[in-house]
Amino acid sequence: MQVLIPRVTEKLRAAGISGFTGIATVCFKYDILAQTFDFLAGAVVPEGTSPPAGLAVVDIPACTAFQVTHVGAYRHLANSWSTLQQMVRYRRLKTGRIPPFEIYRNDPDVTPESELITDIYQPMR
């Protein structure tokens, strides 16, 4: 992730695309204990934006989702994921077919680590 996200923002800026409101990752497969992830990295861009070479548009359909906001260092995101999963189980909610995703709300290059904000979404049925 630490390699892909800067590449995405560099490509967007080089193509003159501004106004993206956050970096996003879509998590297709993950194992929190092993800390392995199969994911896409991208940015939340205005509708109708054409992607530069090497990037593609991926739409996340409107859905009902359980959401947790993580504040702080990215290295502690697994704690928020664990909390989200425990709350979903406790409430006996059913996850949907749309993969979970994260939206990083501020820039780690200019935001103090303790103030980083990440929204984690688990789509539900």
Side-chain angles (χ1 to χ4, degrees):
M1 240 189 273
Q2 294 170 342
V3 173
L4 289 179
I5 290 173
R7 286 184 189 167
V8 169
T9 57
E10 287 170 17
K11 283 184 181 239
L12 290 170
R13 288 185 178 121
I17 299 171
S18 60
F20 51 95
T21 57
I23 298 299
T25 57
V26 179
C27 307
F28 295 103
K29 189 175 179 183
Y30 57 92
D31 181 337
I32 290 176
L33 295 177
Q35 294 188 354
T36 59
F37 299 88
D38 180 13
F39 68 96
L40 287 176
V44 180
V45 296
E47 193 170 336
T49 301
S50 296
L55 298 181
V57 173
V58 175
D59 287 321
I60 298 172
C63 61
T64 300
F66 196 88
Q67 185 259 331
V68 170
T69 298
H70 173 85
V71 178
Y74 295 151
R75 69 179 172 276
H76 299 301
L77 273 167
N79 295 334
S80 293
W81 273 102
S82 178
T83 298
L84 181 145
Q85 290 176 337
Q86 288 175 16
M87 294 185 78
V88 166
R89 270 184 287 209
Y90 173 77
R91 293 179 183 196
R92 297 179 186 197
L93 301 172
K94 301 289 184 193
T95 58
R97 294 181 191 260
I98 300 168
F101 55 96
E102 299 175 342
I103 299 178
Y104 306 91
R105 297 295 180 181
N106 42 21
D107 184 345
D109 291 336
V110 297
T111 305
E113 189 176 61
S114 63
E115 296 175 21
L116 292 171
I117 299 171
T118 307
D119 291 329
I120 304 170
Y121 295 88
Q122 174 61 66
M124 310 307 295
R125 286 189 201 167

